[in-house]
Amino acid sequence: MATKTWQQKFDQRKEAEVKRIDKRFADIPENALMLIATPKIFADYISQIPAGTLVSMTDIRKDLALTHGATHTCPVTTGIFLRIVAELNYEKYQAGTPLSEITPFWRAIAPTAPLAKKLSFGTDFLQKNLAAEQEVNA
């Protein structure tokens, strides 16, 4: 079976879901309402982050949970979906799409975050683009 493209992974999950979890999971207590978002929800959120701003994964999870009527956002799918957004948009950039037309994922993944080390293109792209935005805003 062929591996799915980043675009297919992005398009795969259509609806967000809020579930009550019956036992403690990661940093989420028992009986909490947990959001399982979608890659598109993450892309839309990231697109609203002001240029030159880096928002932590913790803050993203809190914001999305509140927006969707949950108390927490799943930490596992957060990492997966942020990676899908980053890899897909990096591919678009590599194919010639201008930076101004892709989701600015460098605003949501710190170059020092464990997730950054998993990206196929490394951390330099994250650092370079965030720094360039911060310089423009200075």
Side-chain angles (χ1 to χ4, degrees):
M1 187 170 164
T3 303
K4 290 183 180 174
T5 65
W6 291 112
Q7 185 67 58
Q8 288 170 324
K9 290 177 182 182
F10 183 86
D11 294 336
Q12 183 175 359
R13 188 172 180 91
K14 300 288 187 222
E15 299 293 323
E17 190 176 349
V18 175
K19 291 183 168 185
R20 184 167 303 280
I21 60 169
D22 56 3
K23 59 184 176 183
R24 182 173 173 77
F25 174 66
D27 62 347
I28 304 173
E30 181 180 349
N31 288 319
L33 289 175
M34 181 179 76
L35 169 67
I36 300 170
T38 67
K40 181 170 182 354
I41 287 172
F42 282 95
D44 290 346
Y45 178 93
I46 293 166
S47 294
Q48 302 303 312
I49 299 171
T53 303
L54 177 62
V55 178
S56 73
M57 205 177 293
T58 301
D59 287 343
I60 293 169
R61 289 178 56 214
K62 285 178 186 174
D63 290 347
L64 290 178
L66 288 172
T67 301
H68 290 86
T71 53
H72 297 81
T73 299
C74 177
V76 175
T77 57
T78 294
I80 292 167
F81 296 158
L82 282 174
R83 181 169 184 200
I84 290 169
V85 170
E87 297 284 2
L88 171 61
N89 284 279
Y90 185 76
E91 279 183 357
K92 288 178 181 180
Y93 171 73
Q94 290 295 101
T97 303
L99 278 178
S100 61
E101 294 178 22
I102 66 170
T103 303
F105 56 87
W106 51 89
R107 299 176 191 165
I109 303 172
T112 56
L115 172 58
K117 293 165 183 53
K118 295 178 182 178
L119 298 173
S120 65
F121 50 87
T123 60
D124 288 349
F125 188 83
L126 299 172
Q127 290 172 318
K128 182 181 98 179
N129 286 292
L130 185 61
E133 287 182 350
Q134 290 170 337
E135 192 173 297
V136 167
N137 287 346

